[in-house]
Amino acid sequence: MNRALVIGASGGIGGAVLGELEARGWTVEVLSRSHDGFDVTDEASVERGIGAVEGAFDLVFVATGALEIDGAEPEKTISAVTQKALVDQFALNAVGPFLVLKHGLHLLPKDRPATFAALSARVGSIGDNVIGGWASYRTAKAALNQLLHTAAIELRRSHKQAIVLALHPGTVETDFTAKYAGRHKTVPPGEAARNLVDVVERAGPEHTGRFFDYAFREIVW
């Protein structure tokens, strides 16, 4: 039976991914800030929380993240960017998932395929950015993509069958996106979760270190 660890399971997407995995017969363990005090912006919290988890996992899925932190909305202009917003976004959306990987390496088996996946966003693509704006969030997600790509290269040496994925879930109908969806097509969390788990189950070691959307289409860096 496949075994998964979902980080951020109390959020809209994380909770839906948890439910989808369980519906497919996976055994799932969870960590979240609201239920366990698991704070990805605090390395001691990450080390403590991950250290309490035992055994090997076929999937570690990081569903943490935020578009708006402490009231700082996505910026429309350069003049709206603040140092605090940049640092806060980087800490939560880039550093946080990477700390989970750092302290969770022992959870990934070396003798079979195992996946580490984290939620990225299409706006983190530098090549796909043609309208500007949202500097802090874009930059944090671009940094996450680089961190995951770099990790995948290293893991090829120690975990030869590991699969490290940056995943774009689409625009999901949650409180997180309600103010910003605009004319973008949105999908319910359950549909997004089905799509994401489909990608996870289809991906193999040959896909490691790459950036995919919910339909398993590769996104340019």
Side-chain angles (χ1 to χ4, degrees):
M1 182 178 292
N2 289 329
R3 188 169 182 237
L5 174 64
V6 177
I7 308 294
S10 60
I13 298 177
V17 168
L18 163 62
E20 181 64 24
L21 288 167
E22 289 182 331
R24 298 189 189 201
W26 287 65
T27 297
V28 187
E29 295 188 29
V30 301
L31 288 170
S32 71
R33 184 168 185 168
S34 61
H35 292 159
D36 309 291
F38 187 84
D39 182 359
V40 296
T41 67
D42 178 353
E43 185 164 7
S45 175
V46 174
E47 184 174 14
R48 183 169 57 251
I50 294 293
V53 178
E54 298 180 347
F57 289 82
D58 301 285
L59 169 65
V60 176
F61 192 101
V62 182
T64 57
L67 182 57
E68 183 178 312
I69 302 174
D70 287 344
E73 298 184 352
E75 308 93 349
K76 295 181 180 179
T77 63
I78 295 172
S79 61
V81 177
T82 66
Q83 178 179 339
K84 183 178 187 305
L86 280 165
V87 172
D88 286 350
Q89 283 287 337
F90 191 78
L92 178 59
N93 286 315
V95 179
F98 195 72
L99 290 176
V100 173
L101 178 56
K102 172 187 173 180
H103 292 287
L105 285 175
H106 67 284
L107 302 177
L108 300 176
K110 295 183 178 182
D111 61 346
R112 65 180 189 272
T115 301
F116 181 93
L119 291 182
S120 186
R122 187 179 296 276
V123 296
S125 165
I126 295 173
D128 191 58
N129 182 5
V130 295
I131 63 173
W134 290 33
S136 297
Y137 185 71
R138 283 186 188 275
T139 301
K141 290 299 188 180
L144 172 64
N145 293 344
Q146 178 70 285
L147 287 166
L148 294 175
H149 182 69
T150 299
I153 294 170
E154 179 178 333
L155 284 176
R156 287 194 191 107
R157 298 189 283 269
S158 60
H159 297 68
K160 298 185 184 302
Q161 299 182 71
I163 307 154
V164 179
L165 302 173
L167 298 179
H168 168 58
T171 303
V172 184
E173 295 171 8
T174 65
D175 293 340
F176 177 88
T177 61
K179 293 196 297 185
Y180 307 103
R183 291 172 292 178
H184 293 283
K185 177 184 177 182
T186 60
V187 297
E191 182 178 342
R194 285 192 296 275
N195 293 335
L196 291 168
V197 176
D198 281 346
V199 172
V200 166
E201 291 189 335
R202 290 173 60 189
E206 68 273 19
H207 300 108
T208 194
R210 294 160 67 182
F211 183 18
F212 294 99
D213 74 3
Y214 53 89
F216 208 17
R217 295 175 297 224
E218 190 158 12
I219 301 174
V220 64
W221 296 119

